[in-house]
């Protein structure tokens, strides 16, 4: 019985892994496609924030955490960051 069940369970486990990787690739592709249309500052916000986005991330918190140092360093002002964070966030949500 075990010889029959084990290959079947292995097949199911491998199939689920491949499906989840495929779904993640689809989300990343959609996010990258969205980001390609962003203005330069919004794209910079996306690029800086994307590596920190996970399934449980709060996109707004990640953006604030990652962009605040750029504003403090004078890369761009607070109003520019605020204006460009919204479109960047819309693309970042696709990564979740």
């Amino acid at each position: 019985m075990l010889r029959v069940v084990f290959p079947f369970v292995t097949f199911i486990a491998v199939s689920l892994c491949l499906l989840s990787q495929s779904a993640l690739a689809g989300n990343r592709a959609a996010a990258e496609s969205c980001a390609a249309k962003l203005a330069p500052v919004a794209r910079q916000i996306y690029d800086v924030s994307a590596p920190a986005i996970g399934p449980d991330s709060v996109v707004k918190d990640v953006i604030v955490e990652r962009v605040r140092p750029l504003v403090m360093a004078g890369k761009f002002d607070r109003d520019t960051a605020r204006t460009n964070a919204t479109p960047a966030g819309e693309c970042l949500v696709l990564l979740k």
Side-chain angles (χ1 to χ4, degrees):
M1 176 76 174
L2 185 59
R3 285 186 225 169
V4 173
V5 173
F6 184 72
F8 181 71
V9 170
T10 303
F11 172 76
I12 296 296
V14 169
S15 297
L16 288 174
C17 287
L18 292 175
L19 285 173
S20 66
Q21 287 177 354
S22 155
L24 289 175
N27 289 343
R28 173 132 338 249
E32 289 295 326
S33 175
C34 177
K37 302 170 191 158
L38 294 173
V41 172
R43 179 61 195 229
Q44 188 175 4
I45 291 170
Y46 174 88
D47 289 341
V48 138
S49 302
I53 299 294
D56 298 331
S57 298
V58 177
V59 173
K60 180 182 176 189
D61 294 345
V62 171
I63 290 173
V64 169
E65 174 188 314
R66 294 296 181 109
V67 174
R68 182 177 284 145
L70 298 175
V71 171
M72 297 302 211
K75 300 288 183 187
F76 36 83
D77 62 44
R78 188 182 338 183
D79 291 333
T80 301
R82 187 172 284 143
T83 302
N84 287 279
T86 300
E90 291 170 358
C91 296
L92 289 165
V93 167
L94 298 172
L95 289 174
K96 290 181 74 165

